[in-house]
Amino acid sequence: MKFKPANHIQDLQYFGEFGGVNPSISDSSTYTFLSAKTMFDTFEGNAEGCYLYSRHSSPSNLYLGEALAAMEGTDTANVAASGMGAITSTLLQLCSAGDHIVCSRTIYGGTYAFLKNFTPKFNIETSFVDITKLDAVEAAINEDTKVLYCESISNPLLEVADLEGLSKIAKKHNIPLVVDNTFSPLSITPTELGADIVIHSLTKFINGSSDTVGGVTCGSQEFINSLRSVNDGANMLLGPTMDSLRSASILKNMRTLHIRIKQHSSNALYLAQKFEEDGFRTVYPGLPSHPGHELFKKMMNREYGFGGMMTIDVGSLEKANELMELMQESNLGYLAVSLGFYKTLFSAPGSSTSSEIPEDEQKEMGLSDGLIRFSIGLDNDIDRTYNMMRDCMHQVGLLEAQEA
Ligand code: PLP
């Protein structure tokens, strides 16, 4: 049977302390024990159901983790204070000094900076590869490689990773495939395609209201226990813990994720088709012109569409800035980084979210100056939005240039 991620979220049932329809928020950083022996056993990891201290785990964080694990089809999950909190702890848990990581070269700028500039301090080296070339990926693996890392849909170029192909390579070399699925929650279920660990920045579509940062690592019980170990767990010891009040609010927003993703996807597809017809170099995995279109179709949970992220290239950073400022003035969205909001968000990644990547590498991977990344909103009347965007394009002289 096809995996139904939204059903799995909906099938969870919670009762609050007083019969509330939402679980009660555990507003405590520490927990009492009726006997000193149980406290000792809990430290040793042998007291199921007992809480110790909220940096380790809290009931609210466990509820949210349970919903995310249900969505991604893993045993369990550990929520973190940010996507980067989840990414950095996961990678540091999997790697020790002397180890090596093979990573896609088109990834979120923060992840790139962590692997390029930060982990070498601990003698962990990373080879950045074109993730769409399976031969190159396999060739980069050596005897010290401990992780194969990618984003299912990459930020910002929207490259589609062949998760089945990558997982075969990872299994052959006995290393875990770790996938950041931030751009395609519900649309793609990486574990169904062989991924071992799935990460999200909850800051984006999953929370969906741009009011908090958050992250999660979904994986096996054994791996998540290791992240939380009081002796050597990266999450426990580095401390990127989510606050209980926040995890409770993210859990409530998750219940509408399936409706939101469908609307983000259908709006993005509509605009991408229109912009492509207008002659813009448009990148959206739902367009047949996208090199990863067929692959996405093969991997996707159809009902959620191709996601809410798209890019267009308007030729230069100056034009991109002019257009984005005008679109914001026209209340079509915000000139802001991040994604997954109800309003459209747009930014020029070369000078913002990917600015950590040196210019020559940006050029090599195809990240041009005039690229605008859109996170398409939940607009009720997307044709009206399109016409208003067209007006802005006219005003900055873009459509004339396309039509000439
Ligand atoms: N992964 C991806 C694909 C992202 O786009 C981002 C942030 O933009 C992150 C991870 C980091 O998440 P956070 O900002 O929640 O730390």
Side-chain angles (χ1 to χ4, degrees), residues 131-132 151-154 158-162 188 285 290-293 295-296 299:
I131 205 73
T132 62
E151 293 169 1
S152 23
I153 307 302
S154 74
L158 309 180
E159 280 180 356
V160 180
D162 176 356
I188 293 180
H290 190 293
H293 177 64
L295 178 60
F296 197 124
M299 297 197 297

Side-chain angles (χ1 to χ4, degrees), residues 82-85 87 108 111 151 155 180 182-183 201-204 213-215 338-339 353 373:
S82 67
M84 284 310 292
I87 291 166
Y108 166 57
T111 312
E151 293 169 1
N155 181 0
D180 178 338
T182 300
F183 274 33
S201 164
L202 303 177
T203 316
K204 313 293 162 42
V213 285
S338 202
L339 37 135
T353 48
R373 184 188 78 176

Side-chain angles (χ1 to χ4, degrees), residues 13-149:
Q13 187 184 40
Y14 302 104
F15 294 102
E17 201 176 351
F18 303 103
V21 294
N22 288 304
S24 304
I25 300 173
S26 52
D27 196 16
S28 293
S29 56
T30 190
Y31 304 83
T32 59
F33 291 86
L34 291 180
S35 89
K37 164 94 174 56
T38 321
M39 181 187 267
F40 174 76
D41 287 345
T42 307
F43 261 95
E44 296 286 293
N46 298 328
E48 187 62 31
C50 287
Y51 295 95
L52 185 66
Y53 185 63
S54 288
R55 172 155 46 79
H56 178 264
S57 62
S58 70
S60 296
N61 286 3
L62 292 189
Y63 286 131
L64 176 61
E66 194 182 19
L68 290 157
M71 178 178 88
E72 289 299 2
T74 56
D75 291 348
T76 186
N78 188 72
V79 297
S82 67
M84 284 310 292
I87 291 166
T88 54
S89 312
T90 300
L91 291 173
L92 290 176
Q93 192 68 28
L94 291 168
C95 295
S96 306
D99 288 344
H100 172 249
I101 295 171
V102 174
C103 179
S104 167
R105 65 179 182 173
T106 68
I107 46 167
Y108 166 57
T111 312
Y112 174 88
F114 176 67
L115 293 174
K116 178 93 173 176
N117 308 325
F118 199 92
T119 49
K121 291 200 275 194
F122 305 102
N123 197 21
I124 297 168
E125 297 296 333
T126 299
S127 300
F128 294 96
V129 295
D130 180 342
I131 205 73
T132 62
K133 299 204 164 67
L134 294 181
D135 290 352
V137 172
E138 183 154 24
I141 295 175
N142 65 40
E143 59 188 14
D144 296 324
T145 308
K146 292 294 179 330
V147 177
L148 178 53
Y149 186 93

Side-chain angles (χ1 to χ4, degrees), residues 205 208 256-257 259-265 267 340-344 375-382 385:
F205 290 102
T256 57
L257 181 63
I259 302 168
R260 289 186 281 114
I261 291 291
K262 287 176 193 174
Q263 184 78 0
H264 284 299
S265 289
N267 282 352
F341 197 37
Y342 82 105
K343 282 262 201 187
T344 294
S375 162
I376 303 299
L378 300 172
D379 309 25
N380 182 52
D381 184 349
I382 197 64
T385 303

Side-chain angles (χ1 to χ4, degrees), residues 244-262:
S244 290
L245 296 177
R246 276 307 183 190
S247 53
S249 72
I250 296 172
L251 179 62
K252 283 177 270 191
N253 286 357
M254 255 189 95
R255 294 168 183 161
T256 57
L257 181 63
H258 56 301
I259 302 168
R260 289 186 281 114
I261 291 291
K262 287 176 193 174

Side-chain angles (χ1 to χ4, degrees), residues 131 134 150-153 160-169 177-181 184 188-195 295 299:
I131 205 73
L134 294 181
C150 69
E151 293 169 1
S152 23
I153 307 302
V160 180
D162 176 356
L163 298 179
E164 250 172 329
L166 292 167
S167 85
K168 280 193 190 122
I169 295 173
L177 173 62
V178 180
V179 178
D180 178 338
N181 199 27
S184 45
I188 293 180
T189 306
T191 56
E192 286 285 288
L193 303 158
L295 178 60
M299 297 197 297

